[in-house]
Amino acid sequence: MIYRSFQDLKLSALGMGCMRLPVVDGKDTCIDETAVAQMVDYAMEHGVNYYDTAWGYHGGQSELAMGRALNRHPRESYYIADKFPGYDLRNMDKVESIFEEQLRKTGMEYFDFYLFHNVNELNIDCYLDDETYGIYTYLKKQKENGRIRHLGFSAHGSLKVMERFLAAYGKDMEFCQIQLNWVDWDFQKGKEKLELLRRWNIPVWVMEPLRGGKLAALSAENTAKLAALRPEESMPGWAFRFLQSLDEVVVTLSGMSDLTQLQENIRTFETHHPLNSEEWGTLMNLSRDLTRGVPCTACRYCTTHCPQGLDIPSLMELNNEHAFAGSGFLVPMRLKVLGKGKQPADCLGCRSCEAVCLGDALKFYGKTVTVEKLLPKLLEDKAFYDNSGGGMTLSGGEPLLQHDFLHALLSRAKQEGIHTCVETCGFAPEAVVKKIAPLGDI
């Protein structure tokens, strides 16, 4: 096992993330503790000494399971990390009771590492309002009392959010945990976040090194490109070798779900093989191919011309994230922060932004039509609808984004006796859904 220096400690370069532990019958809250104990024993035997849990992992069961698994080993043989769950704003006034409960659940007298969890756009104001919530003051006091040995924070927020947090508390932060991998180096501004932490002289812990498993299962074409450079390296191995190329990274956390994954990752971290320039360049090219989305440069000319005041570059960034990841909490979280009236559905379709876009980010596709122009086309097939029992289905894109036009067209179609249906994901204000729903026949 490779070890990295942190103050007077030697930490295993691979840490065991405890968010994706083995479970029984696919139930996230039903942890297979026999399998967990086996994994922890194997990890300890092979030099892994860092274990990262949290209040919300596995519906609150991770702390319990990891406490039982780790307490079978000498306390001085491992380091355990836990976190204050500020991702849920309902917890902000409960720092003392939650901290005490975390110690109880894990069976620990102290935490080696403790973090402000998931500093982001949604909770940054609460985290910084120490007069109201006292989170910073309380955690500092626990560190002074030896119940927290090292205090840090994790961040899923933007660079600006991290800068705000560091401006307030940076002098007391001993480490920072960020999402970092070869895709997010540019895609989620990982490079800039790493440079920010370097300026603060704060060591880096890494989460999501495999982007939720996406980087462990590349296409056959991309796998072949990497295999040509390192035939013996696995796809997860490439992600870890990328992180081994960054001197600032101390601990890389991997959420391993079974013993086989653990064994494979431990084998990788038995050796230090950072990337050469050709290998690095190949990964960056693959990253650009994988994340090719709306090519917004954030010049912000569009925002000065938007009558709704939408933050269009931020929306383009979230669109690209959603197109790549497909799911996850990041996009919904950031959309929630934007607030009412600033959502994608609030776009008027006026095309003012398109007129001033300097690049190719904002292009209008399709053509503008009126109900009066479209209806005669639909009526050409009415005899077919009547004989077949069919009708008109409106889909997209998302048709509810153009709900005024949709309402007018459906109303006219109903007047003409055309059977109607709307195909939608339902991502629209409740009032819009209620307005359109009565006009559909299915």
Side-chain angles (χ1 to χ4, degrees):
M1 175 57 59
I2 300 167
Y3 291 91
R4 301 297 303 270
S5 296
F6 172 76
Q7 299 182 15
D8 61 340
L9 306 179
K10 292 292 184 182
L11 303 179
S12 56
L14 174 66
M16 183 172 171
C18 304
M19 186 175 70
R20 299 184 177 97
L21 298 173
V23 298
V24 178
D25 297 330
K27 298 177 182 178
D28 187 61
T29 57
C30 187
I31 296 173
D32 185 341
E33 294 203 26
T34 300
V36 170
Q38 183 183 18
M39 290 175 67
V40 169
D41 290 350
Y42 186 91
M44 295 287 287
E45 290 169 7
H46 290 81
V48 177
N49 63 11
Y50 192 96
Y51 299 85
D52 174 90
T53 187
W55 179 260
Y57 292 175
H58 289 280
Q61 297 301 305
S62 175
E63 290 169 325
L64 289 165
M66 290 308 300
R68 285 191 279 264
L70 288 170
N71 280 321
R72 297 158 53 251
H73 297 267
R75 183 63 181 89
E76 67 277 7
S77 65
Y78 60 85
Y79 304 101
I80 183 171
D82 211 332
K83 313 174 187 75
F84 173 73
Y87 53 82
D88 186 340
L89 298 183
R90 294 172 298 180
N91 294 331
M92 288 301 183
D93 61 350
K94 302 178 178 67
V95 60
E96 181 174 359
S97 62
I98 286 176
F99 184 81
E100 296 295 339
E101 179 66 4
Q102 288 174 311
L103 288 174
R104 186 197 67 79
K105 289 172 69 178
T106 57
M108 302 293 161
E109 294 183 357
Y110 63 90
F111 290 118
D112 300 283
F113 294 85
Y114 198 85
L115 300 85
F116 293 79
H117 197 177
N118 190 8
V119 176
N120 63 64
E121 289 80 358
L122 191 63
N123 60 28
I124 181 65
D125 290 334
C126 292
Y127 268 143
L128 298 187
D129 188 356
D130 197 52
E131 183 176 348
T132 299
Y133 300 107
I135 299 168
Y136 166 77
T137 296
Y138 180 81
L139 296 182
K140 277 281 292 176
K141 186 68 173 178
Q142 301 317 302
K143 185 174 186 302
E144 292 169 4
N145 293 338
R147 303 173 86 203
I148 294 173
R149 300 296 168 86
H150 301 283
L151 184 62
F153 71 106
S154 69
H156 279 287
S158 66
L159 192 67
K160 182 178 179 180
V161 166
M162 290 179 63
E163 289 172 338
R164 286 184 62 197
F165 187 86
L166 288 168
Y169 303 144
K171 67 182 186 304
D172 296 308
M173 294 298 106
E174 299 175 78
F175 66 106
C176 176
Q177 193 165 300
I178 60 173
Q179 177 174 309
L180 187 62
N181 50 68
W182 56 265
V183 164
D184 288 322
W185 183 248
D186 289 321
F187 190 48
Q188 288 292 340
K189 297 182 174 59
K191 179 181 179 180
E192 288 89 340
K193 292 175 181 178
L194 195 73
E195 290 174 346
L196 172 66
L197 295 169
R198 182 190 300 136
R199 291 196 297 273
W200 279 87
N201 197 32
I202 295 177
V204 174
W205 272 227
V206 169
M207 55 186 164
E208 297 293 350
L210 298 174
R211 245 307 180 131
K214 280 186 172 292
L215 304 188
L218 301 181
S219 68
E221 179 184 0
N222 289 334
T223 298
K225 290 178 182 178
L226 297 180
L229 297 174
R230 288 195 188 192
E232 76 289 349
E233 198 74 80
S234 66
M235 290 305 101
W238 274 93
F240 296 135
R241 301 305 184 195
F242 167 80
L243 296 170
Q244 287 183 356
S245 307
L246 305 172
D247 292 337
E248 295 84 358
V249 174
V250 176
V251 175
T252 297
L253 296 168
S254 181
M256 298 161 282
S257 300
D258 57 51
L259 184 60
T260 299
Q261 292 178 1
L262 175 66
Q263 291 170 334
E264 291 175 353
N265 289 350
I266 286 176
R267 279 196 293 271
T268 299
F269 277 90
E270 287 175 348
T271 57
H272 182 71
H273 290 309
L275 305 178
N276 61 37
S277 58
E278 180 184 7
E279 292 165 342
W280 182 280
T282 300
L283 282 185
M284 294 302 101
N285 288 335
L286 288 183
S287 174
R288 284 187 285 272
D289 290 341
L290 289 172
T291 58
R292 199 180 301 279
V294 178
C296 177
T297 62
C299 69
R300 308 194 74 81
Y301 281 92
C302 56
T303 60
T304 61
H305 288 72
C306 177
Q308 297 290 83
L310 301 182
D311 187 352
I312 298 171
S314 292
L315 294 177
M316 294 298 99
E317 182 180 342
L318 294 179
N319 173 80
N320 291 344
E321 168 65 26
H322 180 70
F324 173 68
S327 61
F329 70 89
L330 185 62
V331 173
M333 177 188 75
R334 292 191 178 176
L335 284 175
K336 185 176 181 180
V337 173
L338 293 177
K340 187 177 181 180
K342 302 299 180 182
Q343 301 294 315
D346 294 307
C347 173
L348 300 175
C350 68
R351 300 176 64 180
S352 296
C353 56
E354 181 191 9
V356 296
C357 181
L358 297 179
D360 295 324
L362 296 167
K363 288 183 177 180
F364 187 82
Y365 291 91
K367 58 183 179 181
T368 302
V369 296
T370 64
V371 172
E372 287 70 25
K373 287 184 177 181
L374 187 58
L375 192 63
K377 287 285 186 181
L378 297 173
L379 291 175
E380 289 177 3
D381 294 324
K382 188 173 187 302
F384 174 74
Y385 302 151
D386 293 341
N387 291 328
S388 67
M392 174 184 73
T393 298
L394 299 173
S395 60
E398 176 47 63
L400 294 185
L401 290 176
Q402 303 180 58
H403 54 86
D404 288 333
F405 176 83
L406 191 64
H407 186 272
L409 180 60
L410 289 169
S411 298
R412 290 294 303 277
K414 298 291 285 184
Q415 292 172 8
E416 299 292 341
I418 298 176
H419 189 279
T420 60
C421 177
V422 177
E423 182 182 17
T424 174
C425 71
F427 187 64
E430 182 180 356
V432 170
V433 176
K434 288 182 175 180
K435 179 173 74 172
I436 298 300
L439 298 176
D441 291 312
I442 296 180

